[in-house]
């Protein structure tokens, strides 16, 4: 594991990394949003380690008309407020709401990363970490040359060997490992 510090940026997937993923559906309201165990503590730890912390998330439910952009924004505002209240931070959230699976912003495509680069021009992909729980998250990170961390909330490891630099059962376990190093 590299010696992470404030010169590194942290990219996080949302569903299955920060909150309980809704199998076969979408989190459509704040009432359905549930933080995974230990996430609030993990975010406080990670906020002391990394520079920019951003969430990159596919949210096709908006594009499919199942929820509005305002509903998604409310979820994200409340999520950020809860994380901040527990000593953590999220500096930006980039969501791909397109229904088209070939959208340039839909992970694993790099569009969300380039949106982050517009807001954080100091980003260098080789000094970024992508944390996710899906092959598309790992492909997103690998495609840009990021360090990749797999959170095993859906399956124990990516479907292809070598896609993840490290594998952990939860975001908290990874954060605690960083604190010990």
């Amino acid at each position: 594991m590299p010696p992470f510090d404030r010169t590194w940026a942290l990219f996080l997937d949302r569903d299955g990394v920060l909150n309980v993923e809704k199998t076969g559906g979408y989190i459509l309201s704040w009432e359905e949003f549930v933080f995974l165990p230990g996430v609030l503590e993990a975010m406080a730890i990670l906020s002391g380690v990394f520079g920019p912390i951003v969430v990159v998330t596919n949210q096709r439910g908006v594009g499919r008309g199942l929820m509005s952009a305002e509903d998604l924004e409310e979820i994200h505002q409340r999520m950020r407020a809860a994380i901040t209240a527990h000593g953590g931070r999220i500096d930006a959230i980039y969501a791909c709401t397109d229904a088209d699976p070939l959208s340039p912003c839909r992970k694993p495509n790099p569009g969300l990363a380039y949106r982050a680069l517009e807001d954080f021009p100091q980003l260098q992909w080789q000094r970024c970490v992508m944390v996710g729980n899906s092959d598309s998250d790992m492909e997103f990170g690998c495609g840009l040359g990021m360090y990749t961390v797999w959170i095993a909330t859906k399956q124990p490891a990516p479907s292809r060997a070598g896609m993840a630099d490290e594998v952990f059962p939860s975001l908290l376990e990874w954060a605690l490992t960083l604190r010990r190093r």
Side-chain angles (χ1 to χ4, degrees), residues 56-77:
V56 286
T57 180
N58 291 337
Q59 294 296 323
R60 195 167 24 183
V62 175
R64 290 184 169 175
L66 302 173
M67 66 188 303
S68 68
E70 292 78 18
D71 294 333
L72 182 62
E73 180 61 27
E74 179 187 2
I75 292 168
H76 288 162
Q77 285 177 357

Side-chain angles (χ1 to χ4, degrees), residues 12-21 36-37 39 130-135 137-138 148-159 164-175:
L12 298 163
D13 178 44
R14 193 191 86 180
D15 299 331
V17 174
L18 298 177
N19 61 282
V20 175
E21 192 162 0
L36 283 163
V39 162
M130 177 62 208
V131 179
N133 73 327
S134 71
D135 285 349
D137 295 328
M138 297 299 99
T148 53
V149 177
W150 179 268
I151 303 299
T153 54
K154 267 199 299 203
Q155 59 191 54
S159 63
D165 292 303
E166 295 193 75
V167 175
F168 286 89
S170 69
L171 189 65
L172 180 59
E173 287 299 320
W174 181 57

